[in-house]
Structure formats: structure tokens, C-alpha cells
Amino acid sequence: MSAICAFILTFSTLCASRVVSGVLSGPTKVHFTSYNMNLVLRWDPPHGAASGLLYTAEYKSKVSAGYSIGCVNISTLECDLTSLNEPIFEYGTYFGRVRAQSGSETSPWVESTSITMDKETVIGSPNIYLSSNRATIEVSIEDPVFALSSLRRVYSDITYNVTYWKDGQDEKAITISSIQQNRIVVDKLDPLTKYCFQVRINKQLNPTEPSTSVCESTGSEEDIPWVGVVVTFVVLGIAAALVAVSVVYRRSIYHFLCPKDSLPEHFKEYLLEQPNSTIYKAMQNPQPPEIIADVIVVEGGPLEVTAPTCIKQPDITVDQR
Ligand SMILES: *[C@@H]1O[C@H](CO)[C@@H](O)[C@H](O)[C@H]1NC(C)=O
Ligand SMILES: *[C@@H]1O[C@H](CO)[C@@H](O)[C@H](O)[C@H]1NC(C)=O
């Protein structure tokens, strides 16, 4: 009996909702998100909706007359408006609306709350890079990349808070606040100690994300001329390599510097005119290049072939003892 009651109750509820609404109900929680100056309209499906719904999203700025099309007949629950034909402006205020569609049924439009880009966009985390030199650590800060414009162009008054601590002692963290430039040198640190750094963009009102923390060890205090030592090593290494190479390849280098058989252009023409000459045949068979040189010397003729001025030297032998 109770099962039948429950069945009737469920059935009548379903019928009632159909009869009362008559149309598909609209998407819920329609809202904008903006991260690093992008603009995305998001929503949830209508309450109790079947799967397979399609959505159409539109948007307009505070100053435009009507809505522009964002996304049409999409099945996802978001529409990225950042790179559409109608450009988004970094100081603009936007409104959005979404409707659902299932077959021939269309829901009413559901409007979002507005968003003002520069005031509400979430500013993502900066990247930080550290380099240490004895008792100092240099911190370089790289701004997050914006979808529109850039952080510095939108907010000219941006500053950073740099927090650092000895590794494992984050309760004793020190914060240097309101830094304007994106590179600072933290000095008078303890030598041979690992320090961790975290940077936060300082912007009132906008939500910001801190950077990941990055650690680096300081060097020892003595003034070791590391750079000089390294440069000397590298120079010595290259010099040794050059000497070794020139000894191993001395023959090739000699031939390269004093090429034996480069023929002048008019001489080549002369050769091609006399296909039966021994010179031509020698040319056809490039195996022993010495032959060509010999023939030239023997035939002499109207062409003066200036012999290369290199004198063949006996091979240098390296005393291995
Ligand atoms: C979107 O879907 C509706 C209904 O299925 C259809 O009438 C309309 O032409 C579609 N629009 C586009 C742009 O595909
Ligand atoms: C940066 O430091 C200042 C001063 O300590 C503080 O008032 C401000 O809230 C800090 N900003 C952030 C984003 O933590």
C-alpha cells in the first residue's frame, strides 16, 4: 500500500513539475570568473536536468546596447569569452546570460552577476628565480602573464612582498614589503645556509596567489674567486684540446691550408673542349688526384697552372718516449 502511495506521489510530483513549468528550467549559479585577466562564464545544469543539454551563452559590457553571442549549442558548463571577436577590455564591466536547450525545449535566460575586470580578476602567482653569491641571494621576480594587456600596464602601482626564512624555520620568516622593482638582493645572510623565498604581489582588493617557495644555499664567506678559477680551467682545457686536435689532424690541416688541385675556370673549359685528352679522362676518374697535377706539369701548354707554393714537409713525429 505504502509502495503504491510512494509511486503515485512520485509520479504526481513529476507530472506537476512538468505541468507547472511547461518549459525547461534554466541553468543555475551562472557567474563569471577571471584569472590573470581572462573572462569565463560558468554555470551548473538546471535542477534535476537530464543529460545531453546544450547551452547558449551571451555577454555584454556595461556600455554596449545588446548582448553578443559567446558560445552556441555547447555541452560544456563554461564559455571562455577572452578571445572572441568582440574584444574584452581590461577595465570593462561585463554581464552574461545563459540558457539551456533540450530538443525543441528552451529554458529562459538566466543572468549572471556582473564582473569588473581590473577590480576582480585573480592575480596569479609570480615566478621567482634565486641566485646566490656568498652571503647574498638575488631574487628575480617574473610577473604572471595576463590574457589581456600585462600586469604592469593594468596596475602601474604594483609592489611585491618578499618573505624569506632559513629552511625549516618558517616561523621566523622575515618579510620585505612594498618592493617596486622585480629584482632585489638580500644580503648579510648566514654563509652556507639554505634560505627559502616566497613572493606575493601586493594588490589591495584583488585576490592574489603567492609564488611557490624556492630555496637556495648561500656560499662560504671567504672571497673565493670562483669565476676566475672556472675561466682559467676552461681556457686551459680549450688550449689543450686545440693542441691535441692539431697534432692528430696535422695532415688534413696542411692539405686544407695548401689545397693541391684547385683548377682555374678557363682551364676547366679547356678540358671539357677536348674530351679525348688524357687530362679529361683523368678528370673522369677522380680517384688519384695526383695524376691531374702530374699531367698538367708534363703537358704545360697554353695554360699556366701556378703550382701551390706550399712545400711538402716531412710529417712531424711526436716523440712518445
Ligand atoms: C542550435 O540548436 C538549435 C536546436 O537544436 C538549432 O535550431 C540551431 O540552429 C543551433 N544553432 C547553431 C548555431 O548551431
Ligand atoms: C605586504 O606587506 C604589508 C606590510 O607588512 C602588508 O600590510 C600587506 O598585507 C602584505 N601584502 C600581502 C599581499 O600579503
Side-chain angles (χ1 to χ4, degrees):
M1 184 64 190
S2 64
I4 293 167
C5 275
F7 173 75
I8 289 168
L9 210 66
T10 313
F11 189 72
S12 63
T13 314
L14 275 176
C15 276
S17 75
R18 279 214 155 224
V19 167
V20 167
S21 69
V23 286
L24 191 61
S25 58
T28 53
K29 294 188 190 155
V30 180
H31 67 288
F32 280 116
T33 62
S34 177
Y35 182 82
N36 282 341
M37 279 289 168
N38 74 359
L39 182 60
V40 182
L41 189 57
R42 296 174 198 273
W43 55 89
D44 283 353
H47 289 301
S51 59
L53 291 185
L54 295 179
Y55 302 95
T56 295
E58 295 184 344
Y59 68 108
K60 66 172 183 149
S61 86
K62 201 173 170 181
V63 295
S64 61
Y67 279 96
S68 305
I69 291 168
C71 302
V72 180
N73 292 351
I74 55 168
S75 54
T76 53
L77 298 174
E78 59 174 62
C79 173
D80 190 341
L81 305 169
T82 316
S83 49
L84 296 176
N85 295 337
E86 207 82 1
I88 299 293
F89 294 103
E90 52 269 39
Y91 306 103
T93 297
Y94 292 92
F95 302 85
R97 63 180 190 180
V98 184
R99 72 178 182 195
Q101 212 164 318
S102 173
S104 57
E105 279 185 285
T106 303
S107 83
W109 289 106
V110 177
E111 287 181 13
S112 73
T113 51
S114 69
I115 187 169
T116 300
M117 297 294 285
D118 60 321
K119 300 224 162 53
E120 291 173 67
T121 195
V122 176
I123 300 173
S125 57
N127 285 325
I128 56 174
Y129 303 96
L130 305 178
S131 62
S132 72
N133 180 19
R134 284 184 283 154
T136 67
I137 290 181
E138 185 184 295
V139 184
S140 302
I141 305 166
E142 189 182 81
D143 290 334
V145 176
F146 271 15
L148 302 172
S149 190
S150 70
L151 179 80
R152 287 273 169 186
R153 249 179 283 164
V154 179
Y155 312 109
S156 54
D157 59 343
I158 279 287
T159 61
Y160 308 100
N161 283 7
V162 174
T163 304
Y164 66 96
W165 60 93
K166 280 184 195 171
D167 193 22
Q169 299 183 21
D170 35 344
E171 71 283 355
K172 291 187 193 160
I174 296 167
T175 296
I176 311 171
S177 54
S178 306
I179 296 163
Q180 283 174 349
Q181 65 278 25
N182 49 13
R183 193 192 296 188
I184 66 156
V185 174
V186 181
D187 58 4
K188 303 196 180 90
L189 297 171
D190 289 349
L192 299 172
T193 305
K194 194 176 193 182
Y195 284 89
C196 299
F197 287 77
Q198 190 171 43
V199 176
R200 197 179 251 281
I201 289 171
N202 206 3
K203 182 83 190 82
Q204 272 155 11
L205 306 178
N206 288 73
T208 58
E209 291 177 344
S211 74
T212 53
S213 54
V214 180
C215 306
E216 175 76 54
S217 295
T218 51
S220 80
E221 230 165 352
E222 296 114 61
D223 193 359
I224 299 173
W226 280 112
V227 177
V229 170
V230 169
V231 167
T232 311
F233 255 96
V234 169
V235 169
L236 283 179
I238 291 173
L242 282 178
V243 168
V245 165
S246 60
V247 167
V248 171
Y249 294 104
R250 57 188 184 280
R251 276 175 155 234
S252 316
I253 291 170
Y254 172 76
H255 288 310
F256 175 71
L257 293 177
C258 306
K260 218 185 281 178
D261 45 16
S262 62
L263 297 174
E265 205 52 43
H266 60 289
F267 183 63
K268 282 184 200 162
E269 282 162 19
Y270 166 75
L271 289 176
L272 292 174
E273 274 167 21
Q274 304 188 12
N276 291 326
S277 78
T278 48
I279 299 172
Y280 180 79
K281 279 172 190 156
M283 286 277 294
Q284 295 290 79
N285 176 17
Q287 263 315 94
E290 279 81 8
I291 288 173
I292 300 172
D294 289 344
V295 171
I296 293 161
V297 174
V298 169
E299 296 215 331
L303 306 143
E304 284 252 336
V305 179
T306 41
T309 52
C310 289
I311 299 151
K312 189 150 188 151
Q313 292 171 336
D315 288 335
I316 305 149
T317 42
V318 178
D319 199 346
Q320 306 254 329
R321 278 168 297 166

